[in-house]
Amino acid sequence: MDRETFYQYILDNFTLSGGEQRMVDTILQFIESHYYDYDKQQEILRELLCDIDLTEEGKREVQSFITECKTKRNEVLDNAGDTIKHTTIPTQKEILNDLNSQEDVDECWGVTDNYGMKIFLEYGIHFI
């Protein structure tokens, strides 16, 4: 992914102030101007992004989401006769791993085999 595409991805998927947007753009420009090899640029970006961690608010939000998933699972299984043969409730570690692997933060997590729920995490509030 080139710098412009990556920058647009950040803007589309995260809520950033004007100053934060300029900082991200400056970092991307720095990487592009100091590392000419595309693969090296990608490596540097991955290193920068893989230090994502949940804030205390994020930990509470994720735990609340996991609890909601468990409650909803029981509700759906009791009322709709759904199955859970291919679905597990996400853990905090799995959600954090998705953040660190640059997967979609608003991902739908399976509650049962036919029902899912989304968690919405915002940079600066839920993770840094």
Side-chain angles (χ1 to χ4, degrees):
M1 172 181 321
D2 63 20
R3 184 179 70 80
E4 291 82 18
T5 304
F6 183 75
Y7 183 64
Q8 192 57 51
Y9 169 83
I10 294 293
L11 295 180
D12 291 345
N13 290 283
F14 301 96
T15 304
L16 302 176
S17 69
E20 291 168 331
Q21 290 176 18
R22 287 187 296 280
M23 182 173 31
V24 167
D25 191 46
T26 300
I27 290 168
L28 294 175
Q29 287 176 17
F30 176 85
I31 291 170
E32 189 175 57
S33 66
H34 286 80
Y35 300 95
Y36 301 108
D37 179 63
Y38 180 79
D39 290 335
K40 184 64 175 175
Q41 291 174 3
Q42 298 302 304
E43 178 186 332
I44 297 297
L45 283 174
R46 278 191 299 278
E47 286 177 17
L48 287 173
L49 293 173
C50 286
D51 288 336
I52 292 173
D53 202 3
L54 294 172
T55 62
E56 289 305 314
E57 175 68 23
K59 290 175 185 175
R60 286 190 294 274
E61 183 69 23
V62 167
Q63 190 53 51
S64 174
F65 174 74
I66 291 169
T67 300
E68 277 183 64
C69 286
K70 291 176 182 178
T71 301
K72 192 64 174 179
R73 170 183 270 190
N74 290 335
E75 202 177 288
V76 171
L77 289 173
D78 289 345
N79 296 323
D82 202 345
T83 61
I84 53 172
K85 294 177 183 175
H86 308 287
T87 308
T88 59
I89 299 291
T91 64
Q92 179 175 310
K93 183 177 179 179
E94 289 171 326
I95 293 171
L96 185 58
N97 285 344
D98 274 3
L99 288 172
N100 277 314
S101 67
Q102 304 173 35
E103 303 237 354
D104 187 3
V105 177
D106 297 332
E107 178 175 322
C108 187
W109 291 91
V111 174
T112 66
D113 290 341
N114 298 300
Y115 184 87
M117 293 176 62
K118 285 189 173 195
I119 183 169
F120 298 96
L121 300 174
E122 187 175 342
Y123 177 78
I125 295 174
H126 301 107
F127 62 95
I128 51 174

